[in-house]
């Protein structure tokens, strides 16, 4: 797998060369090791171990329903009351973070109305703070620590 601009962690993999799996410590099970999953696992480990995000307040592959349409957020961070606070969208390292990616995460936010939107391909990371009153958003210089959200 690609080297990322994220700290390393104790990676647990199993399976075959054709069907590798990586352990997702949030879902407590092995999942298919895709390039996007490689990014997700590095990113959530960094949030929990490096940025102080409580493990119990981060969810991977969270299902959403919009009428009959089913959506799935890559990761959601919750506040201590259990309300969604941040949506995170991951892409493989070979995927550019284009306007289309931001449209995708914005669609999820129509349902969740969170304060922060984050996109990452493991090489680049962008974080926006929503300003609903002014109907705009602001890019932040870095992903905030949990206690700063």
């Amino acid at each position: 797998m690609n080297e990322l601009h994220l700290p390393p962690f104790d990676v647990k993999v199993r399976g075959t060369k054709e069907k590798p799996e990586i352990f997702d410590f949030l879902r407590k099970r092995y999942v298919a090791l895709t390039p996007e999953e490689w990014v997700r696992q590095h990113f959530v480990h960094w949030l929990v171990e490096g940025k102080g995000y409580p493990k119990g307040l981060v969810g991977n592959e969270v299902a959403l329903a919009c009428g009959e349409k089913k959506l799935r957020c890559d990761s959601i961070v919750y506040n201590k009351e259990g309300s969604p606070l941040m949506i995170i969208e991951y892409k493989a390292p070979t995927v550019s973070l284009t306007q289309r990616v931001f449209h995708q995460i914005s669609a999820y936010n129509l349902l969740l109305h969170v304060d922060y939107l984050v996109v990452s391909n493991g090489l680049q990371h962008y974080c926006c703070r929503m300003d609903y009153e002014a109907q705009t958003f602001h890019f932040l210089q870095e992903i905030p620590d949990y206690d700063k959200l």
Side-chain angles (χ1 to χ4, degrees):
M1 284 288 157
N2 297 33
E3 191 170 320
L4 304 175
H5 294 161
L6 290 163
F9 68 98
D10 184 22
V11 178
K12 294 179 183 152
V13 293
R14 72 174 192 191
T16 64
K17 185 177 180 182
E18 296 78 28
K19 287 192 169 189
E21 295 179 320
I22 188 168
F23 188 74
D24 182 333
F25 78 119
L26 297 179
R27 291 181 272 183
K28 298 181 176 135
R29 64 183 173 93
Y30 282 88
V31 297
L33 177 52
T34 63
E36 182 178 304
E37 192 63 44
W38 182 248
V39 172
R40 180 194 339 259
Q41 292 306 315
H42 277 79
F43 203 91
V44 295
H45 274 270
W46 174 60
L47 289 178
V48 170
E49 296 166 7
K51 306 286 279 164
Y53 285 57
K55 182 177 162 183
L57 297 180
V58 182
N60 283 341
E61 289 287 317
V62 179
L64 302 175
C66 182
E68 295 196 14
K69 187 172 183 172
K70 302 275 190 237
L71 303 172
R72 193 169 295 277
C73 288
D74 288 341
S75 293
I76 296 179
V77 175
Y78 299 90
N79 64 21
K80 291 178 178 152
E81 289 75 41
S83 297
L85 184 62
M86 176 185 286
I87 302 170
I88 309 169
E89 179 65 27
Y90 308 104
K91 296 298 178 192
T94 56
V95 176
S96 297
L97 300 178
T98 63
Q99 189 63 42
R100 185 174 182 191
V101 177
F102 286 92
H103 284 304
Q104 180 182 1
I105 198 170
S106 295
Y108 300 149
N109 199 35
L110 290 174
L111 296 171
L112 296 177
H113 207 73
V114 299
D115 292 336
Y116 297 90
L117 301 177
V118 175
V119 296
S120 176
N121 63 6
L123 303 173
Q124 297 177 295
H125 325 291
Y126 295 99
C127 181
C128 300
R129 169 100 164 107
M130 303 302 296
D131 182 345
Y132 293 103
E133 192 173 303
Q135 296 184 348
T136 189
F137 58 89
H138 307 282
F139 280 97
L140 304 179
Q141 292 293 328
E142 62 184 28
I143 312 292
D145 291 348
Y146 188 80
D147 62 3
K148 302 283 192 265
L149 297 177

